[in-house]
Amino acid sequence: MAFSCQCIHVSASARRPSISPDFDSQKSLLSSTVKPLLKELQARPMRVDVPQTLRNASRYLLDAFVDSVFKFADQPLLPSQSNFAPVGEIGEAVKITSIEGEIPIDFPEGIYIRNGPNPLFGGLQSTVSVFGRSSDIWVEGEGMLHAVHFTKDSGGKWSVFYKNKYLDTETFRIEKECNRPLFLPTIEGDSPAILAAYLLNQLRFGKVNKDICNTNVFEHSGKVYSIAENYLPQEIDIFSLNSHGNWDVNGSWDRCFTAHPKRAPGTGELVITGVDAVKPFLVLGVVSADGKRLVHKVDLKLERSIICHEIGVTEQYNVIMDIPLVVDINRLVRGGPLIKYEKDGYARIGVMPRYGDSESIMWFDVQPHCIFHILNCFEEGEEVVVRGFRQLKAIIPGPDFGHNRFEWFSRGFKPINDESIEDGSFFSRLHEWRLNMATGEAKERRLTGDEFSMDFPMINENYIGLRNNYGYAQVADSNASSSCALPKYGGVAKLCLEDQNNRISKNDSEEEMINVKYHKIGEKQFCTGAAFVARNGGLEEDDGWIVTFVHNEETNVSQVHIIDTKKFDGEAIVKITLPQRVPYGFHGTFISTIPKNV
């Protein structure tokens, strides 16, 4: 869930930054830093490589300027936010000896792996300068993988290993070698500070921000990739967790890459998108089933740059969610935020043939909303059915700079309050859109009520793009989330999509809700990165398990729980205690593998 823009054009019309009271002292410090560098350059012999000397001098001057003018500081965490703090790498894989319960004999061998932000220098960064303030937002921080390996010997005895590791991106290496933060925050803050950060990051490092790679892990054609949608995927070895560089589909994909690519049913092709802050705003691609070729690439010709976190697929179509969470450089230059949820903006859903162009997209106007995650899409007669988790306001990037961040997030995480549009604005419910390809009509309805907010969905992946009867999601603890102003998930839900006998009355009308089963983890325990694991040889869609990382905030112990989806509201059948704390993160997946020693 990390968002940023790879390209930015800084207009000369940017407003003049306000000068802070200590500008004279910063100017003096800058002067004292630059003068010795100029003397050093003057003293160099004349027989030098002039272009290289100029490049080195520019780098020295830029570094000196940033060090003199910008002051970095860690963003503090409250006690209730303690498990959002980063951890160190554990080193070699550690064999787990504390396992409560028995891993089922038909549980598949493989690796349960989860991605998440793990700031390299102790915390997310903020800066103060003559240009103003800027800050990382809560979804940023270098990516770290947490992996649990399940292997079984010939006698059916299980061995479980745990390992974690940072994603070794180019920008991670740059900062690690210097052992200090270097990239200036570029998402939230005063407009002049963000514009300066973009320019200085580009001049110093050749890119405007870090390749944090902290959102998701996916597999395609036997290879595994880690991804955040501000850059290309990183190929990883799932045993060592070493990074093997960028995946640009043999040089044919030259832009960012969605954190949620989708495998097309029937063909095995991978449908991807890439956003940018300048035109073309959204490009769609189709990668061959063997991962070697980009077989289709098209500019969707949107008129605005949007945060399009996930794409949907059906047997014939691609589904695009065009929502009013907008990236606008002109707004930034005028002094506004770079990313903003435009509550009065339009929302629509586009349905296009798999290899269509922008002219082939059929657009359906829908009620304005924010959505990050799609549960599934499928075709039913003349309709394309889209199910996803809808909320009233975007949790990304946060309030406009200068607002009370804690209060803003705290109110948004509260339960739905009909008397306040601010309370519960992040409350996320399963929503359904039925898009009639023959008539152009769009019908929409809620499928879950106001009892629990839920998100981070998963399904049996054999049903992606096909009609499915079951889905799963993490269930937010609204009170705990509101108290710490960051999302915490106190359980998981099983969504019985074809069981619609729960009716509620709302504003003198009746709405039909689906049946939902809940698995509650326990007091002051919260889950992250839940994934569905299908049973070996299972014949039914819901025959399998949910695996999830769980952290106990009272004991400060992290575990992996295995939950039987056929006995969903019971206790976890297996609890695996890990050798160190696992911070809350984002998406997890289970990858079946050929047994291998770790």
Side-chain angles (χ1 to χ4, degrees), residues 20 117 143 169 236 263 447 461 478:
S20 64
T169 65
I236 58 172
R263 188 173 291 110
L447 295 182
E461 293 193 353
S478 295

Side-chain angles (χ1 to χ4, degrees), residues 218-258:
F218 70 93
E219 179 270 335
H220 185 61
S221 187
K223 294 184 178 181
V224 179
Y225 304 93
S226 180
I227 182 67
E229 60 209 50
N230 72 332
Y231 197 55
L232 292 167
Q234 298 285 304
E235 184 182 347
I236 58 172
D237 181 293
I238 55 175
F239 298 101
S240 68
L241 303 186
N242 290 333
S243 303
H244 294 322
N246 301 335
W247 183 43
D248 59 5
V249 197
N250 289 324
S252 56
W253 189 258
D254 58 355
R255 57 195 291 119
C256 302
F257 198 106
T258 176

Side-chain angles (χ1 to χ4, degrees), residues 411-432:
R411 294 191 67 179
F413 285 123
K414 288 182 178 180
I416 290 286
N417 183 347
D418 291 335
E419 296 180 0
S420 171
I421 59 173
E422 297 299 325
D423 288 355
S425 56
F426 308 147
F427 198 96
S428 182
R429 292 170 288 202
L430 183 61
H431 206 77
E432 179 184 86

Side-chain angles (χ1 to χ4, degrees), residues 96-114:
I96 306 299
T97 58
S98 178
I99 301 177
E100 178 186 336
E102 293 189 6
I103 301 172
I105 191 67
D106 49 359
F107 190 85
E109 292 184 279
I111 294 175
Y112 169 46
I113 187 168
R114 198 220 69 196

Side-chain angles (χ1 to χ4, degrees), residues 24 60 131 163 192 213 268 284 291 304 316 363-364 374 527 533:
D24 289 337
Y60 295 149
F131 302 104
K163 182 178 175 65
C213 207
L284 181 141
R304 60 184 181 182
Q316 300 183 72
W363 289 106
F364 296 83
I374 295 171
C527 66
V533 182

Side-chain angles (χ1 to χ4, degrees), residues 370-557:
C370 184
I371 182 173
F372 292 110
H373 298 121
I374 295 171
L375 178 71
N376 199 21
C377 306
F378 58 91
E379 299 163 35
E380 189 172 75
E382 295 179 333
E383 293 180 327
V384 170
V385 181
V386 181
R387 290 169 174 165
F389 289 86
R390 182 185 188 274
Q391 55 195 47
L392 297 177
K393 182 183 286 189
I395 196 174
I396 303 294
D400 292 344
F401 199 72
H403 285 66
N404 184 321
R405 288 173 51 85
F406 184 91
E407 180 185 0
W408 190 84
F409 278 107
S410 178
R411 294 191 67 179
F413 285 123
K414 288 182 178 180
I416 290 286
N417 183 347
D418 291 335
E419 296 180 0
S420 171
I421 59 173
E422 297 299 325
D423 288 355
S425 56
F426 308 147
F427 198 96
S428 182
R429 292 170 288 202
L430 183 61
H431 206 77
E432 179 184 86
W433 295 266
R434 288 186 169 268
L435 313 174
N436 193 303
M437 301 297 291
T439 66
E441 182 182 15
K443 296 180 181 179
E444 53 184 298
R445 60 172 180 154
R446 294 187 304 158
L447 295 182
T448 57
D450 299 343
E451 183 179 8
F452 291 110
S453 174
M454 57 187 77
D455 206 341
F456 287 87
M458 68 219 88
I459 65 171
N460 183 328
E461 293 193 353
N462 294 321
Y463 290 81
I464 290 176
L466 306 173
R467 186 185 181 99
N468 61 310
N469 294 327
Y470 298 98
Y472 307 87
Q474 293 178 188
V475 178
D477 184 322
S478 295
N479 291 328
S481 301
S482 179
S483 296
C484 79
L486 285 172
K488 290 183 178 181
Y489 295 88
V492 286
K494 180 177 181 179
L495 308 165
C496 304
L497 299 165
E498 301 307 314
D499 185 3
Q500 299 182 346
N501 50 17
N502 178 19
R503 305 182 73 90
I504 65 170
S505 178
K506 185 87 170 174
N507 297 328
D508 297 325
S509 64
E510 283 194 339
E511 294 185 81
E512 193 172 74
M513 304 288 109
I514 63 170
N515 187 26
V516 181
K517 298 179 180 179
Y518 296 99
H519 176 91
K520 298 179 181 179
I521 295 172
E523 192 70 21
K524 296 187 179 179
Q525 297 183 60
F526 305 98
C527 66
T528 177
F532 178 83
V533 182
R535 185 185 303 273
N536 278 338
L539 299 178
E540 297 179 301
E541 179 188 338
D542 65 335
D543 196 359
W545 302 269
I546 296 295
V547 290
T548 182
F549 286 95
V550 171
H551 183 71
N552 187 319
E553 295 194 347
E554 283 194 335
T555 63
N556 204 32
V557 170

